[in-house]
Amino acid sequence: MGFEEFDVFVIGTGTAGKSVAKECVAEGLKVAIADNREFGGTCANRGCDPKKVLVGLTEILDRAGKMQGHGITKMPEFSWKDLMEFKKTFTSAVPAATEKDLEKLGIKMYHQSPKFLDENTLSVEGKTVTAKKIVIATGNKAMELPIPGRELPINSDDFLQLEELPESIIFIGAGYIGMEFAHIAARCGVEVTVIDGESRSLNNFDKDMVEHLQKASEEIGIKFIFDAEVAEVEKLQTNFRVKADQKGKKIELKAKLVVNAAGRVPSIDELDLEKGNVKYSNKGIAVNERLQSPTNKNVYACGDVSASEGLPLTPLSSQEARIVAGNILDKDREKKVDYPPQPSVVFTLPNLASVGLNEKEAKEKGYDFKVEQKYVPQWFNAKRINDDYYAYKTLIDKETGLVLGAHLLGPDAGEMINMFVMAMCGKLPCETLKGMIFSYPSWASDIKAMV
């Protein structure tokens, strides 16, 4: 058995892991990195990037459908096969390009998930490896359903590889993955049903905005079944059958395909964390304000796998990676994590976007605030593209005039929310926002009327 020693060993090659590895090797440290999947991580290979490519087609279909009779005389034809080939132009080269980049920098690469042997020792590819610092950046993975037939549904990774779409799909889970993929499938002509154990979709988002989104979803043919716990998935001759319990009532659904969109969990089960004295929970690796393990000071965690206050989003992974690298290298910069307002977007059509506090959180924190809320499909930007769904809810601190939170639903809410992020990070009072000059007519100009 071989033996190797490194200054830093990074587990995971996504945004967080790559960032730490590159910064550490640039400072002269001996660095290794490992991944049990294709190099490059979830976002670039099987997450936000390829998903957004598919959304691009549905944006065209959605826009054309709304403008039929208003200039569009015939709906565009599309090819799912051609779309998937286009998607591959973004993903196919990622693993090899990532490895080439890391190799050029002198970073040792391993293609296996390491296992802890003790606090500073790992076993990987049949070798025993020691490292002064170990960084866990393994991200999240699809949660396995705890039911009979759990192996039958595909997950989000598989959906992004579908060579053709079936006639019908059941999505188990009405979170952001289930909703985004349901919208893609429905707009491409699939009969879609979404089933969830909660009483509504997207529990982490503002209820009023979600109600509008659900109506928009139902209008494109998506069927929802809530308060229904899935109990079993069965393979029939040509269909799959999903059995569920809805408030004591047994129900059954059939479709050509079932997608497990029930959520994601930390990808940590192969690491033997107990042997490394690394504390963890179902939320991920426990970390302190330096993103350091409180039980093993030589271990750090960043990105989706860390049980930090950061949302499981790519921009937060970069932020956390910077903190971890700063601590390992003892750089003269902020070494404690301090999260700015974190925007979150569901790329359905319309988009659902949020940043800052919701009403419950604002009350719990003791703010005296007012709520600006309207449903505004009659505003010019929505009306000019014949879109029926445009709404906002803004929470404003009465004492300071600062935005505490913003919740948007609309065709371009994913971009508009960034204007609120800038306002909140810059601590710009609403009166200052109202006094700014924005280009018109643009979606950004609408935020002056939202505060």
Side-chain angles (χ1 to χ4, degrees):
M1 181 179 284
F3 181 87
E4 296 189 66
E5 187 174 353
F6 297 94
D7 295 312
V8 180
F9 196 106
V10 180
I11 310 173
T13 61
T15 300
K18 283 188 304 181
S19 298
V20 174
K22 288 180 177 181
E23 187 164 352
C24 288
V25 79
E27 293 295 323
L29 299 187
K30 186 178 181 182
V31 179
I33 196 166
D35 207 317
N36 64 347
R37 297 195 65 172
E38 62 271 29
F39 274 38
T42 296
C43 186
N45 283 303
R46 54 190 178 270
C48 28
D49 288 358
K51 172 201 70 184
K52 197 67 185 295
V53 174
L54 304 191
V55 169
L57 171 71
T58 65
E59 288 172 335
I60 295 169
L61 298 176
D62 177 64
R63 186 76 176 271
K66 289 185 169 81
M67 291 301 290
Q68 249 189 318
H70 303 283
I72 293 293
T73 59
K74 182 181 179 182
M75 284 293 289
E77 295 181 357
F78 72 92
S79 164
W80 178 262
K81 182 179 179 181
D82 290 349
L83 175 63
M84 295 303 280
E85 288 299 317
F86 180 56
K87 183 223 58 168
K88 289 177 185 176
T89 65
F90 293 87
T91 59
S92 295
V94 170
T98 302
E99 291 196 37
K100 185 177 180 181
D101 188 23
L102 295 173
E103 183 179 27
K104 186 177 180 180
L105 293 170
I107 297 171
K108 173 75 173 180
M109 290 175 286
Y110 294 90
H111 296 81
Q112 189 185 75
S113 179
K115 296 181 184 295
F116 277 89
L117 298 177
D118 60 38
E119 291 195 353
N120 285 88
T121 310
L122 301 167
S123 175
V124 58
E125 290 186 357
K127 301 177 179 68
T128 299
V129 172
T130 63
K132 295 174 184 176
K133 303 294 180 184
I134 298 171
V135 180
I136 302 173
T138 48
N140 287 343
K141 63 178 183 177
M143 179 179 72
E144 188 175 87
L145 295 167
I147 58 171
R150 65 177 67 88
E151 73 283 358
L152 296 174
I154 68 168
N155 59 30
S156 58
D157 297 1
D158 304 319
F159 183 90
L160 290 168
Q161 298 293 334
L162 286 176
E163 294 184 4
E164 58 183 31
L165 287 174
E167 296 173 10
S168 56
I169 300 178
I170 297 169
F171 288 91
I172 300 175
Y176 76 94
I177 294 175
M179 290 295 286
E180 289 176 341
F181 285 7
H183 268 242
I184 291 170
R187 283 197 168 81
C188 289
V190 178
E191 182 183 313
V192 173
T193 301
V194 177
I195 184 169
D196 197 281
E198 300 292 336
S199 59
R200 69 175 177 93
S201 60
L202 299 163
N203 265 336
N204 294 332
F205 287 81
D206 181 83
K207 184 178 180 180
D208 295 332
M209 300 298 109
V210 171
E211 285 181 358
H212 293 309
L213 177 58
Q214 185 160 323
K215 290 178 182 176
S217 303
E218 290 168 344
E219 284 187 4
I220 63 169
I222 298 175
K223 299 174 184 176
F224 290 94
I225 299 175
F226 293 117
D227 298 309
E229 293 290 342
V230 174
E232 185 177 0
V233 180
E234 294 179 328
K235 178 71 174 75
L236 305 177
Q237 189 169 356
T238 59
N239 291 303
F240 291 91
R241 177 163 54 203
V242 174
K243 295 181 178 180
D245 187 317
Q246 187 179 40
K247 295 183 176 180
K249 178 184 176 183
K250 304 297 183 183
I251 61 174
E252 294 184 358
L253 309 169
K254 293 180 183 179
K256 296 294 184 183
L257 185 68
V258 181
V259 177
N260 171 14
R264 296 178 69 78
V265 295
S267 184
I268 55 177
D269 49 310
E270 295 185 32
L271 299 177
D272 283 353
L273 295 171
E274 294 87 353
K275 292 182 180 178
N277 192 27
V278 179
K279 186 178 179 182
Y280 65 94
S281 69
N282 59 2
K283 294 183 178 179
I285 307 293
V287 290
N288 60 20
E289 59 190 358
R290 294 177 180 269
L291 298 176
Q292 182 180 43
S293 167
T295 52
N296 182 348
K297 299 297 184 182
N298 297 315
V299 171
Y300 293 83
C302 53
D304 296 358
V305 77
S306 71
S308 66
E309 294 179 16
L311 295 176
L313 303 169
T314 298
L316 270 296
S317 296
S318 302
Q319 194 94 335
E320 291 190 346
R322 178 175 167 79
I323 296 295
V324 168
N327 279 296
I328 291 174
L329 297 168
D330 197 25
K331 289 231 173 181
D332 185 21
R333 66 185 189 212
E334 183 60 50
K335 297 173 186 174
K336 295 181 180 179
V337 69
D338 180 22
Y339 296 103
Q342 305 169 50
S344 186
V345 180
V346 183
F347 287 104
T348 48
L349 296 174
N351 298 167
L352 177 65
S354 176
V355 67
L357 303 178
N358 59 34
E359 291 174 89
K360 181 182 178 183
E361 292 167 338
K363 289 175 183 175
E364 289 173 347
K365 291 181 178 290
Y367 284 105
D368 181 17
F369 65 97
K370 64 178 180 177
V371 176
E372 297 287 345
Q373 177 180 2
K374 281 185 181 178
Y375 179 56
V376 288
Q378 74 279 6
W379 283 9
F380 178 76
N381 279 310
K383 199 171 181 180
R384 70 178 175 82
I385 58 174
N386 199 33
D387 201 301
D388 293 331
Y389 290 94
Y390 192 20
Y392 68 89
K393 179 186 288 187
T394 314
L395 280 58
I396 300 167
D397 185 0
K398 289 182 179 178
E399 181 180 349
T400 63
L402 297 177
V403 175
L404 299 174
H407 309 275
L408 308 178
L409 180 90
D412 212 30
E415 293 293 340
M416 292 180 69
I417 200 68
N418 293 318
M419 300 297 291
F420 283 98
V421 174
M422 292 180 68
M424 293 171 70
C425 287
K427 299 188 184 306
L428 300 176
C430 291
E431 286 306 310
T432 300
L433 288 174
K434 287 180 177 292
M436 290 182 173
I437 305 297
F438 294 98
S439 62
Y440 180 86
S442 65
W443 291 99
S445 67
D446 284 353
I447 74 165
K448 295 169 66 172
M450 296 178 175
V451 296

